[in-house]
Amino acid sequence: MVEVQSITFPEGITLQCGEKVAPLRVAHQTYGTLSPKRDNVIVICHAFTGDQYVASPHPVTGKPGWWSRMVGPGLPIDTDRFFVICTNVLGGCMGTTGPTSERAGTGRPWGKDFPPVTMHDIVAAQVKLIDHFGIDRLFAVIGGSMGGMQVLTWATDYPDRVFAAMPIATSPFQSAQNIAFNEVSRQAIYGDPNWHGGDYQAHGVIPARGLAVARMVGHITYLSEEALTRKFGREIRPGTVPSSGDPLSALPFGGMFQVESYLRYQGSNFTRRFDAHSYLTISRAMDFFDLGSEHEGNLSAAFRGVKTRFCVVSFSSDWLFPTSRSRTLVRAINQAGGHVSFVEIDSDRGHDAFLLEEPDFDRTIRGFLNGMARQAGLSAGECDNAV
Amino acid sequence: MVEVQSITFPEGITLQCGEKVAPLRVAHQTYGTLSPKRDNVIVICHAFTGDQYVASPHPVTGKPGWWSRMVGPGLPIDTDRFFVICTNVLGGCMGTTGPTSERAGTGRPWGKDFPPVTMHDIVAAQVKLIDHFGIDRLFAVIGGSMGGMQVLTWATDYPDRVFAAMPIATSPFQSAQNIAFNEVSRQAIYGDPNWHGGDYQAHGVIPARGLAVARMVGHITYLSEEALTRKFGREIRPGTVPSSGDPLSALPFGGMFQVESYLRYQGSNFTRRFDAHSYLTISRAMDFFDLGSEHEGNLSAAFRGVKTRFCVVSFSSDWLFPTSRSRTLVRAINQAGGHVSFVEIDSDRGHDAFLLEEPDFDRTIRGFLNGMARQAGLSAGECDNAV
């Protein structure tokens, strides 16, 4: 049994859709030490299928934390200096209340009856935890992809509580193409023989094939065409082609391309650690996200009066959340008279680049946090000279 | 019962994989009149899920032919002048022998036992039909997407029999990303409850959900991000959102985005006219395609001695078969000392643009065919002045 750090709020949370989820449990991991003034807090928001294990081994897979190269002592997000909190999102399946949690009074999990959540709800759950810790203001909120949607929601919903914000490889709205890919994933799950109209938990099964297909779709969109070509090209997986003895035929009849093998592995591996209803709930929360729509389509209105200092980061080969979306965001913040800097990192690795070794990106994060720390009057960290 | 134009070859065809398919039926449509010298023949090769009904109504859906705006009297591919032949590809499901055809001596369809086919096999089946018609040399071969792969195969496998060739929105090889999307589609089909290990025909069912998901994936890749945004944006399908009475919530809880509705429609519609085994067979034929690999990775060697005049066409926003692939192709033909011109059509509609109203594209086809007709010494058509 994995021990999960969490706080339970018996009163629960009332969601934007009007429904109430109670109790509310918020699972989280923390790194570093909270300063006496409680002014050194960085909230990291995870992406779609991420979790709170940002810099510690994943309890199911045993793999290192998903950002362990970025978060730790002396690293760009320096835990010798900052107190880092990462929560599992509302609707997730790693300890925070979601479809796999027991619905009070029923003895059964929420399952398909878990209500729809939004980025506002996801961040509101995080706010409850921050309040519980007695933290008034965050030094910074940082997140990539869907994590970036949470960063934008934090800064616009709680403008007085966020000093600095880094929305990374993200967008102020979910695009038609993003919705379309999510819809393919959802249909793959609905079409699984183990779906049972959403009641798979009652049948003691999981819609693993559909969930694997969903994950495969995701993986393609996370990588650039160049990265897929460099990683796999048209290589054949060894041992999958029956030797035909025909020297003329170099074709892999019956064989498997490496890229297929990779996707199958990613797909089936994923089903060990992720719940289908959580997948559906969170993908829908992303689809709902559209900051401008809440201000009659005027995105800059969302940033009116927001004093948060933003550093927007995009990656040149990211086609899921392309640089053009970050530019739209930067323009809107500028129009609202806000503080914003913008960096496009040159990388050919696609959306996934924010999780990979990209020295320019590391320098951007380290530099922004150090600069902001000076502005916020935080005591100088040892890493200041490392910029 | 739909009457299908077809020729049956009792001797069948021996495939590249070594297996034999007999008899071989080649279903086709023709338009225009074969000239006495049999020198005015244009073969049009259809794309992945296309068919021979290039300029006549589809017998299942009743919709106009897929290129009826391009092929006909006075149109860019002018049937007052040219004799146009379009065959259903080997492995297809519109009359040419494929998985839905009866396997001789068994009283049952080939189904999952239909052998793997390649572009070479697909074109070899077309050659049998051309031979049957007593046609020595084609004036031109034209095709987009997978049709373009056939065009390239025609010109390199039968260099003396093709005067002019237009590979459109295509590539000399299937990329890792293209294989990856095809693999997602295949896994969606394999995961369908009606798949029955490939024996769905024996069970009297079709894996419709999986096939629909496959089609949805395809549709996303056929459109540019811009086209999806322009067509659908974040519009909600009317009537799908329960009115909550909450004026604060503009969110479509329980509702459906237009782009989702569109994809579901495209997906379910497709299953009425396409067979899952055909889908798998043809998607695999595309994945196998790699002209250079047959010449130790030297693509230009494939074009050595080829006298065919090529006009390569790409579309600027096509991300499935991007312009860079066409440039690779053009460079290889040039290196081999071949004849090639290249046009990139400026369009924001993605891969699908070759099927849509694009005046520059029409002019390119008309101009190339007229110029080639003069070079080939064909009698001047009435359309010559229309360029």
Side-chain angles (χ1 to χ4, degrees):
Chain A
M1 189 61 194
V2 177
E3 201 179 322
V4 176
Q5 261 182 279
S6 70
I7 305 290
T8 298
F9 302 92
E11 75 280 12
I13 187 171
T14 299
L15 305 175
Q16 223 188 339
C17 68
E19 291 200 55
K20 191 170 180 174
V21 170
L24 168 70
R25 187 186 188 209
V26 180
H28 57 277
Q29 291 282 301
T30 66
Y31 307 90
T33 309
L34 185 60
S35 63
K37 288 185 184 169
R38 304 182 183 218
D39 60 358
N40 70 334
V41 179
I42 294 181
V43 163
I44 294 179
C45 303
H46 71 71
F48 186 177
T49 60
D51 48 51
Q52 67 270 41
Y53 299 99
V54 60
S56 30
H58 193 280
V60 177
T61 66
K63 286 186 185 167
W66 55 269
W67 232 9
S68 51
R69 49 170 297 284
M70 191 66 85
V71 178
L75 293 177
I77 301 175
D78 187 353
T79 54
D80 284 339
R81 186 175 193 190
F82 300 113
F83 180 62
V84 169
I85 307 173
C86 185
T87 73
N88 182 217
V89 296
L90 179 66
C93 48
M94 288 302 291
T96 292
T97 302
T100 55
S101 310
E102 186 183 317
R103 185 175 189 175
T106 68
R108 283 179 300 137
W110 277 92
K112 67 175 180 191
D113 296 322
F114 195 78
V117 304
T118 66
M119 289 301 146
H120 300 288
D121 299 326
I122 285 173
V123 169
Q126 293 168 11
V127 169
K128 288 185 87 80
L129 186 76
I130 301 306
D131 286 344
H132 173 86
F133 285 155
I135 297 163
D136 284 334
R137 196 170 75 148
L138 305 179
F139 166 63
V141 190
I142 303 176
S145 196
M146 188 187 84
M149 294 178 173
Q150 293 164 63
V151 171
L152 296 174
T153 303
W154 259 105
T156 52
D157 282 1
Y158 307 91
D160 300 329
R161 300 188 69 173
V162 182
F163 184 74
M166 291 194 88
I168 299 160
T170 194
S171 169
F173 62 91
Q174 178 86 332
S175 75
Q177 194 184 59
N178 296 7
I179 295 171
F181 279 120
N182 276 349
E183 174 62 7
V184 167
S185 294
R186 287 189 285 262
Q187 291 296 329
I189 292 170
Y190 299 154
D192 190 287
N194 286 343
W195 171 245
H196 292 293
D199 285 328
Y200 56 89
Q201 289 149 320
H203 288 75
V205 292
I206 57 167
R209 292 204 76 133
L211 191 56
V213 169
R215 180 61 167 175
M216 291 169 71
V217 174
H219 256 283
I220 300 176
T221 66
Y222 301 154
L223 297 174
S224 66
E225 216 260 338
E226 295 88 330
L228 269 174
T229 300
R230 190 178 46 238
K231 267 178 111 155
F232 308 108
R234 294 182 45 83
E235 293 301 309
I236 307 295
R237 187 173 159 81
T240 63
V241 184
S243 65
S244 67
D246 174 6
L248 286 175
S249 175
L251 287 172
F253 294 118
M256 196 193 287
F257 290 99
Q258 287 284 22
V259 66
E260 297 176 294
S261 164
Y262 166 79
L263 288 175
R264 287 186 203 180
Y265 172 80
Q266 294 292 342
S268 68
N269 219 28
F270 181 62
T271 63
R272 288 170 51 213
R273 70 171 179 90
F274 219 86
D275 172 62
H277 281 306
S278 276
Y279 194 95
L280 298 169
T281 300
I282 301 172
S283 79
R284 209 57 182 158
M286 292 180 79
D287 290 354
F288 290 148
F289 187 67
D290 182 5
L291 265 188
S293 75
E294 297 162 27
H295 300 269
E296 281 110 41
N298 181 0
L299 181 59
S300 73
F303 294 96
R304 221 171 272 151
V306 173
K307 295 284 169 253
T308 302
R309 283 81 167 160
F310 292 91
C311 178
V312 176
V313 181
S314 72
F315 294 87
S316 56
S317 58
D318 183 349
W319 59 277
L320 191 63
F321 290 97
T323 290
S324 57
R325 302 268 177 271
S326 286
R327 286 193 197 283
T328 300
L329 174 60
V330 169
R331 270 195 301 271
I333 299 172
N334 271 326
Q335 274 171 23
H339 308 269
V340 59
S341 62
F342 170 51
V343 179
E344 184 190 43
I345 307 288
D346 194 39
S347 162
D348 69 355
R349 303 202 275 186
H351 186 60
D352 253 4
F354 82 95
L355 297 171
L356 305 173
E357 187 78 37
E358 291 283 353
D360 279 354
F361 180 42
D362 294 6
R363 276 189 288 273
T364 301
I365 291 196
R366 196 189 284 272
F368 179 70
L369 292 181
N370 283 338
M372 287 299 110
R374 275 190 296 272
Q375 280 196 33
L378 262 66
S379 56
E382 291 170 30
C383 61
D384 251 18
N385 299 325
V387 182
Chain B
M1 189 60 196
V2 178
E3 201 179 321
V4 175
Q5 262 182 278
S6 71
I7 305 290
T8 298
F9 303 93
E11 75 280 12
I13 187 170
T14 299
L15 304 175
Q16 223 188 336
C17 68
E19 290 201 55
K20 191 171 180 173
V21 170
L24 168 70
R25 187 187 189 208
V26 181
H28 57 277
Q29 292 282 299
T30 66
Y31 306 90
T33 309
L34 184 60
S35 63
K37 288 185 182 170
R38 303 180 184 218
D39 60 358
N40 68 333
V41 179
I42 294 180
V43 163
I44 294 179
C45 303
H46 70 71
F48 186 177
T49 59
D51 48 52
Q52 67 271 40
Y53 299 98
V54 59
S56 31
H58 194 281
V60 177
T61 66
K63 285 185 185 168
W66 56 268
W67 231 10
S68 51
R69 48 170 298 284
M70 191 66 86
V71 178
L75 292 176
I77 301 175
D78 187 352
T79 53
D80 283 341
R81 187 175 193 190
F82 300 113
F83 180 62
V84 169
I85 306 173
C86 184
T87 73
N88 182 216
V89 297
L90 180 65
C93 48
M94 287 303 290
T96 292
T97 302
T100 54
S101 309
E102 185 184 317
R103 185 174 189 176
T106 68
R108 283 179 299 134
W110 278 92
K112 68 176 180 190
D113 297 322
F114 195 78
V117 304
T118 66
M119 288 301 146
H120 299 288
D121 299 326
I122 285 172
V123 169
Q126 292 169 12
V127 169
K128 288 185 86 80
L129 185 75
I130 301 305
D131 287 344
H132 173 85
F133 285 155
I135 297 162
D136 284 336
R137 197 171 73 149
L138 305 179
F139 165 64
V141 190
I142 304 176
S145 196
M146 187 186 85
M149 294 178 173
Q150 295 165 64
V151 170
L152 295 173
T153 303
W154 258 106
T156 51
D157 282 0
Y158 307 91
D160 300 329
R161 301 188 69 174
V162 181
F163 184 76
M166 291 194 89
I168 299 160
T170 193
S171 169
F173 63 92
Q174 179 85 333
S175 75
Q177 193 183 60
N178 295 6
I179 295 171
F181 278 120
N182 275 349
E183 174 63 6
V184 166
S185 294
R186 287 189 286 261
Q187 291 297 329
I189 293 169
Y190 299 153
D192 189 287
N194 285 343
W195 172 245
H196 293 292
D199 284 329
Y200 56 88
Q201 289 150 319
H203 288 76
V205 292
I206 57 168
R209 293 202 76 134
L211 191 57
V213 169
R215 180 61 166 175
M216 290 169 71
V217 174
H219 256 283
I220 300 175
T221 66
Y222 302 154
L223 297 174
S224 66
E225 215 260 338
E226 295 87 329
L228 269 174
T229 300
R230 190 177 47 237
K231 267 177 110 155
F232 307 109
R234 295 182 44 84
E235 291 302 308
I236 307 296
R237 187 172 159 81
T240 63
V241 184
S243 66
S244 66
D246 175 6
L248 286 175
S249 175
L251 287 172
F253 296 118
M256 196 195 287
F257 289 100
Q258 286 284 18
V259 66
E260 298 176 293
S261 164
Y262 166 78
L263 288 175
R264 288 186 202 180
Y265 173 79
Q266 294 292 342
S268 68
N269 220 27
F270 181 62
T271 63
R272 288 170 52 212
R273 70 172 179 89
F274 219 86
D275 171 62
H277 282 305
S278 278
Y279 195 96
L280 297 168
T281 300
I282 300 172
S283 79
R284 208 61 182 156
M286 292 180 79
D287 289 355
F288 290 148
F289 187 67
D290 182 6
L291 264 187
S293 75
E294 296 160 30
H295 300 270
E296 281 110 42
N298 181 359
L299 181 59
S300 72
F303 294 96
R304 221 171 272 151
V306 174
K307 296 284 170 253
T308 302
R309 283 81 167 161
F310 292 91
C311 177
V312 176
V313 181
S314 72
F315 294 86
S316 56
S317 59
D318 184 349
W319 58 277
L320 191 64
F321 290 97
T323 290
S324 58
R325 303 267 178 271
S326 287
R327 286 194 197 283
T328 300
L329 174 61
V330 169
R331 270 195 302 270
I333 298 172
N334 271 326
Q335 274 170 23
H339 308 268
V340 58
S341 62
F342 171 51
V343 179
E344 184 189 43
I345 307 287
D346 194 39
S347 163
D348 69 355
R349 302 201 276 186
H351 186 60
D352 252 5
F354 83 95
L355 297 171
L356 304 173
E357 187 77 37
E358 290 282 355
D360 279 356
F361 179 42
D362 294 5
R363 275 189 289 273
T364 300
I365 291 195
R366 196 189 285 271
F368 180 70
L369 292 180
N370 282 337
M372 288 300 110
R374 276 191 296 271
Q375 280 196 33
L378 262 65
S379 56
E382 290 170 29
C383 62
D384 252 18
N385 299 326
V387 182

